[in-house]
Amino acid sequence: MHIRPIQEQDASEVAQLAKQLGYNPSAQAVLPNIHAILENPAHQAFVYVDQEDQIIGWVHVFIALRLGSLPFAEISGMVVDQASQQQGIGRALVKQCRHWANSRGVGEIRVRCDSTREQANQFYQHIGFKQRKTQRVFVREL
């Protein structure tokens, strides 16, 4: 088992795992996002691969720029297959993100987690993240 950067051919497995988060993307919908991540040095995605070369987890991290604060890394999505949870895979993926961000001179990593995802909230707190604030997300179609 090991972690490696995402590749184009991972689109189908990444899409399948995203369903466990409640999303329903197709591999064709995921592929342009993988291309964009691969082409943007401020973004990175990693996959956790088992002994059979199957992806059992993935994470996407990026460097966020804000006018009012220093740059920081943000995990924008992570999933570990339900059958493989509680084995340190999520922790390893986050550690990989921390290493990636640190190598780019960023001193902080953040993650936003829906308050209804209690297990995920507990996971992040368990591995050392501290809740800074509660916020609302507003959306308006263009």
Side-chain angles (χ1 to χ4, degrees), residues 23-42:
Y23 306 111
N24 194 23
S26 66
Q28 293 78 19
V30 170
L31 189 57
N33 293 343
I34 292 175
H35 286 150
I37 289 168
L38 292 172
E39 293 172 2
N40 188 335

Side-chain angles (χ1 to χ4, degrees), residues 53-70:
D53 210 31
Q54 298 296 310
I55 295 172
I56 56 175
W58 59 257
V59 64
H60 172 214
V61 61
F62 67 97
I63 305 298
L65 300 175
R66 304 288 189 266
L67 288 175
S69 66
L70 293 172

